[in-house]
Amino acid sequence: MHDSVFDRYREGNSLIHRLDPRVKVVVTVGLILSNALLPDGAWAAFAFSWALVLLGNALAGLGMDFTFRRSFVALPFALVAVTAVFSLPGRALFEGDLGPWHLVVTEAGVVRFASVLLRAWLSVQVAILLIATTRFPDLLHALEHLHLPSLLVTTIAFLYRYMFVLTDEVLRMTRARQARSALLPGRRGGGTVSWRARVAGNMVGQLFLRSYERSERIYQAMLARGYRGQIRTLAPHVLRGGDYLFALAALLGVLLIQLVGRL
Amino acid sequence: MNFVPVPMHIPDGFLSLGVALFCWGVTAVVVGVALRRTQAMGEQRVPLMGIMAAFIFAAQMINFPVAGGTSGHLLGGALAAMVLGPWPAMLVMTAVIAVQGLLFQDGGLLAMGANILNMGLLTAAVGYGLYRAGARLRPRARLVVAGGAAWLSVMTGALATSLQLWLSGTARLDIVVPAMLGVHALIGIGEALITVGALTFIARTRPEVLEPGSGQERGGRGWVLAGVLVSVLVVVLSPLASSNPDGLERVAMDLGFFGRSADAPYHLLSGYTLPFLGETPLSTILAGLVGVGVVVLVVMFLTRLVRARREM
């Protein structure tokens, strides 16, 4: 499989691309925190926050609508938040019974629902921007610099390397299953649900054994090449003046957003 | 082939800051212990952990058609704990959920603590604890226990997700709990069938991998106790949450949960008046007593079981 199926990185040499990954991680978390801190119904601040995201898009040379077009991944979960509409006390807009529930749609509830959706939507865009402008290995290196436990970072690094390989394995196994599942037109095929589930279970078991054996081979190969428990990199990752400046500007932006949200 | 999201990854913005940070705290502590325990097993575990994480990631894509275009697939926390042991499984699941959140924005960054807790730590603990409780049974019965454990692990994650959303003021308790648990009761059946299928396959082809003492760390009675306790909590809380939300709200208030979230910048339930205040404490206490009674019975039963086994 081509790794571009999973990789969300967009090649580029913009200001944002060249920033130190540590700074990008910290600024991303800062912006998401800022979104979480905004009170319900702070529409102006939400708009301002989005303006910053758009600015980031433009600076990264991705086109203004880059993150917007990819930002709808969080939408299915919005279904859960719909109940927020009924869960707050306040001026009732609409009342009704649905089965065992007495539902009162309140003004505060609607504002909460819209605010939750906006916060989620803005936060997702910031995360998309981070991942589109930072190579994943650089991101992991940044996490190590930020003092995440090295065993965890190494595990994630291995996961990132081998998820392509094992997904390929899954693709081959699924193709093999399909090739053996002929279907006559007009007839139900594929056995009972529990039989199908057992086949899927067998596939998972087989994938496990293949992965297990592969990990032994990989470890031996790593030892053969002089592995000493650490993964090395050529990227220097040195914080420069520009990085500090960008972090400062982002901090000012967050402060301004919070100020606007509280006025 | 597309990446299939499990409908349990909470995006950013759905949890209040207080709940999100609280979950991050719990997750950080537990993952810290898991890291130390796994590290103690030697550096050979490093590539194994990574590949196993990739295995869970890829295994989540294997699905089987059920009916009407829906399909059953795997979350994997329980299976990972059964084949790798609980601590390594927690590390593996943490890595999987971290990559799903970082790379695919499937689940938020601030909400990642909660997501790891719900889908990684709780599923592994419940799955392993119950599986371990049936370790002495005959193979067939053990598989049934494994299936039940996998099903309940999904339900535990779903209940924890609902409770976090409710504590964040994002969802109404008596709607979100039955909805989430209803959906995941079905998803859990897929999880159980695949987990049992995978265990059967591994036991048939490479039984030595599943044997204790093959390099995997195997926890003991502590895990059984933890698994059973959490399961009992799930079984007691789920109907309580849907039928008596006010009672649970009262408990949360007494435990200081709403106090904490009221510190959060957007005031969640400030000015919220509980209806039937006179009635709820009684029902809460009764429910609590029933819960405590069940827990005491289970613990008594377990200690007796352990003692009987020692005397054998």
Side-chain angles (χ1 to χ4, degrees), chain B:
Chain B
M1 171 183 287
N2 281 319
F3 174 74
V4 191
V6 184
M8 219 194 275
H9 294 77
I10 308 173
D12 278 325
F14 283 75
L15 293 183
S16 73
L17 203 57
V19 172
L21 292 181
F22 177 76
C23 291
W24 254 124
V26 175
T27 299
V29 170
V30 178
V31 172
V33 177
L35 280 167
R36 198 149 351 110
R37 289 305 193 85
T38 314
Q39 203 136 37
M41 283 183 260
E43 63 161 22
Q44 198 193 337
R45 313 292 292 181
V46 175
L48 178 63
M49 288 304 107
I51 310 293
M52 283 300 125
F55 154 68
I56 293 291
F57 179 89
Q60 289 186 349
M61 294 175 183
I62 295 178
N63 55 11
F64 64 94
V66 179
T70 58
S71 61
H73 52 96
L74 191 72
L75 185 60
L79 178 64
M82 290 170 197
V83 294
L84 297 173
W87 294 120
M90 286 180 175
L91 173 58
V92 161
M93 292 305 288
T94 302
V96 171
I97 295 158
V99 165
Q100 286 170 343
L102 280 172
L103 199 56
F104 302 103
Q105 283 79 49
D106 198 16
L109 301 185
L110 217 54
M112 195 184 282
N115 283 328
I116 292 174
L117 181 66
N118 301 341
M119 289 180 290
L121 311 184
L122 284 173
T123 53
V126 169
Y128 184 78
L130 293 185
Y131 178 64
R132 182 69 213 208
R136 290 294 163 109
L137 296 171
R138 279 178 296 128
R140 254 185 177 280
R142 204 162 56 200
L143 282 179
V144 173
V145 171
W151 183 79
L152 208 61
S153 77
V154 173
M155 296 299 272
T156 308
L159 181 66
T161 307
S162 326
L163 292 180
Q164 286 151 8
L165 288 168
W166 161 62
L167 286 172
S168 301
T170 315
R172 209 173 105 174
L173 187 66
D174 57 340
I175 300 177
V176 75
V177 168
M180 282 290 275
L181 289 186
V183 169
H184 286 88
L186 292 177
I187 291 177
I189 293 174
E191 175 95 8
L193 289 174
I194 295 183
T195 302
V196 170
L199 284 176
T200 319
F201 184 84
I202 298 168
R204 219 168 38 207
T205 46
R206 288 269 311 258
E208 74 277 7
V209 176
L210 288 179
E211 288 300 313
S214 65
Q216 270 91 316
E217 195 207 353
R218 305 277 159 174
R221 252 176 298 157
W223 284 105
V224 175
L225 205 65
V228 172
L229 274 181
V230 176
S231 317
V232 168
L233 209 64
V234 172
V235 172
V236 171
L237 270 185
S238 311
L240 190 71
S242 16
S243 65
N244 188 5
D246 303 335
L248 210 59
E249 232 143 67
R250 179 79 212 167
V251 175
M253 245 173 176
D254 291 346
L255 290 174
F257 265 112
F258 288 144
R260 192 170 296 132
S261 44
D263 291 342
Y266 41 100
H267 290 265
L268 297 182
L269 284 142
S270 55
Y272 194 80
T273 49
L274 286 168
F276 322 119
L277 197 67
E279 211 176 291
T280 40
L282 186 66
S283 58
T284 309
I285 291 167
L286 277 178
L289 281 179
V290 169
V292 169
V294 172
V295 170
V296 167
L297 276 178
V298 167
V299 171
M300 270 167 60
F301 173 71
L302 278 176
T303 44
R304 190 165 296 161
L305 208 71
V306 169
R307 211 178 296 150
R309 210 197 296 155
R310 268 208 203 128
E311 281 161 9
M312 264 196 317

